[in-house]
Amino acid sequence: MAAVDIREYDPSRDRAGTEAVDRECDVGPTGGMSLHADLLGDPVARIRHSPDYLMLVAETLGPGGRIIVGIIRGTVKSVATGKSCPGAHAVASVGYILGLRVAPSHRRMGLALRLVQRLEQWFERMGAEYAYMATDKSNEASLRLFTVRCGYSKFRTPSLLVHPVHAHRLRVPRRAAVFRLGARDAERLYNARFAHVEFFPADIGAVLGNQLSIGTFLAVIDDGSDGRREWRGAERFLACPPASWALASLWDCGGVFRLELRGASRLRRAAAAATRALDRAARWMRVPSVPDFFRPFSGWFAYGLAGDGPDASIAAEALFATFVNMARGRAAAVAVEVAACDPLRRRIPHWRRLSCTEDLWCMKRLGGIEESDGWDWSRSPPGFSIFVDPREV
């Protein structure tokens, strides 16, 4: 077996090889089908919006010369740890691992482990205190690699909720009024409400101002006392917030990659097409139609979901229904990821077959660094909220 070298990705000569590995490694098996992601010809598309990023490739000698047989991507950023005690380390530098792929011909040779270790070394050089990754809890190979061989611990189990986009509109609760916020007001609200929420990025302004960020929206519930409020700016909102509200932003994942569900039978494709045709012809019937997931499609991601008040979950429902309605003709599905114990998730509309009720995040401390007070974020209990950075979706 030829030796395998690991080096940094070179866009001038590695694009075709990395695309080939990505194509061989479809993810998300569902009833005999697999989900394929196309990065639109840019292998670093999923990480180049982050402040610091790196892509590594594993290369070996093949019959026709040097070939790429493995890839891994990673980013480093500063985030809130969820610890708000006076004098505590409320912010940490973390490395995020995503896009680990090994060609089927070179699996079970320790290559994935080598890729992870090389990326962790870069994390440490960049000053990262922790490394984390996300995977499906049913991905046994990935879990064995990270928890058994790489020393990661199971950390959080957020839920990924997905709703398809139909020809008809979803109903928005009548008690809810939805406002679109300017970037400055959005940043002000997020900094005020998310200062100590886990994984809240220090560069939130860059996220909200990114070209892929569609906008930030606020839903307010009419409680019958003062009617629906008008948006009068972040300062007034923070000084006297409504009784129940919810906040979230939208990200266009279609600007980075397209998805495609492969392996569907002709019968399943025909049945899905029939639901779409009926939905278009008779929208008043509100047919739960299935978008054409069997061709490349784009999706939107709702991030930064927050809220407060006895009817905050209704406000969250209004936001998500509004997002799905906005996506008609522009995306095939809208998704949001929320903490397992977040009360806002109760009324968010979603399809169970498209969603993942228990995603799995794993984390470990890097370099044997010890906090002065002995606190270890990777072993801390979960909070009610979590901020999912759309740049890492």
Side-chain angles (χ1 to χ4, degrees):
M1 180 64 64
V4 177
D5 299 319
I6 296 176
R7 58 173 176 80
E8 188 171 344
Y9 167 76
D10 182 348
S12 66
R13 59 188 174 113
D14 295 336
R15 175 167 292 188
T18 55
E19 288 177 347
V21 174
D22 269 325
R23 284 194 299 269
E24 287 186 280
C25 302
D26 290 344
V27 296
T30 306
M33 296 182 290
S34 61
L35 190 63
H36 172 75
D38 182 359
L39 292 175
L40 305 182
D42 183 2
V44 297
R46 292 185 65 184
I47 56 176
R48 61 183 170 85
H49 295 281
S50 299
D52 293 298
Y53 61 87
L54 177 70
M55 180 171 173
L56 299 173
V57 299
E59 185 183 58
T60 190
L61 185 62
R66 306 293 293 181
I67 59 171
I68 292 175
V69 294
I71 56 179
I72 194 170
R73 304 171 178 92
T75 67
V76 173
K77 61 181 179 179
S78 294
V79 301
T81 64
K83 188 175 184 182
S84 57
C85 301
H89 296 268
V91 177
S93 179
V94 299
Y96 179 64
I97 300 173
L98 75 164
L100 173 61
R101 304 279 190 269
V102 175
S105 60
H106 284 71
R107 291 175 183 171
R108 297 180 179 84
M109 300 178 182
L111 184 53
L113 176 61
R114 288 181 58 194
L115 285 166
V116 172
Q117 291 173 337
R118 283 288 298 274
L119 189 60
E120 288 178 346
Q121 291 171 7
W122 178 74
F123 286 163
E124 293 184 11
R125 290 197 300 271
M126 296 297 293
E129 304 162 66
Y130 297 90
Y132 74 105
M133 51 77 68
T135 188
D136 189 308
K137 67 174 184 178
S138 64
N139 191 335
E140 296 181 0
S142 179
L143 288 177
R144 282 197 304 270
L145 170 65
F146 282 95
T147 61
V148 177
R149 305 189 67 186
C150 296
Y152 286 69
S153 301
K154 295 179 181 180
F155 185 61
R156 299 291 182 261
T157 54
S159 297
L160 180 66
L161 309 179
V162 182
H163 199 289
V165 176
H166 306 305
H168 67 270
R169 297 173 61 88
L170 295 187
R171 290 192 176 96
V172 178
R174 299 183 63 182
R175 294 172 55 202
V178 179
F179 308 101
R180 183 169 188 153
L181 309 185
R184 288 188 177 181
D185 279 346
E187 184 175 359
R188 177 75 177 87
L189 261 60
Y190 276 123
N191 280 320
R193 303 298 304 194
F194 272 101
H196 301 296
V197 170
E198 286 187 320
F199 294 99
F200 179 68
D203 62 338
I204 183 60
V207 178
L208 297 173
N210 191 285
Q211 61 182 357
L212 299 178
S213 194
I214 298 170
T216 299
F217 301 81
L218 175 77
V220 176
I221 300 300
D222 181 3
D223 61 3
S225 59
D226 55 2
R228 296 186 180 186
R229 297 173 178 242
E230 295 181 355
W231 178 248
R232 299 178 180 178
E235 297 301 328
R236 289 193 179 187
F237 177 89
L238 293 171
C240 185
S244 297
W245 59 273
L247 173 76
S249 300
L250 268 178
W251 184 271
D252 182 9
C253 297
V256 176
F257 57 84
R258 296 285 193 275
L259 298 171
E260 181 182 356
L261 197 58
R262 295 178 173 177
S265 65
R266 290 184 178 180
L267 179 61
R268 182 169 291 183
R269 290 170 181 260
T275 65
R276 294 194 297 276
L278 182 58
D279 192 18
R280 289 191 299 268
R283 298 184 184 183
W284 57 272
M285 293 181 63
R286 309 182 68 82
V287 175
S289 56
V290 181
D292 192 356
F293 293 136
F294 314 111
R295 296 180 182 180
F297 67 90
S298 62
W300 285 2
F301 184 74
Y303 67 97
L305 180 64
D308 195 17
D311 292 326
S313 60
I314 299 177
E317 176 189 4
L319 282 178
F320 202 72
T322 298
F323 295 163
V324 173
N325 294 338
M326 288 175 56
R328 293 188 307 159
R330 302 168 68 185
V334 181
V336 64
E337 194 160 16
V338 295
C341 48
D342 193 333
L344 297 182
R345 62 178 286 180
R346 293 197 305 266
R347 293 185 59 123
I348 293 178
H350 63 280
W351 279 22
R352 290 186 179 182
R353 293 196 66 178
L354 299 178
S355 304
C356 177
T357 55
E358 282 194 13
D359 199 1
L360 180 60
W361 291 15
C362 298
M363 176 184 278
K364 83 170 184 179
R365 188 196 298 276
L366 293 172
I369 302 172
E370 295 294 336
E371 299 284 0
S372 58
D373 60 1
W375 183 73
D376 183 353
W377 183 22
S378 65
R379 301 182 184 279
S380 65
F384 287 108
S385 299
I386 194 170
F387 191 100
V388 182
D389 194 326
R391 297 171 296 187
E392 299 173 352
V393 173

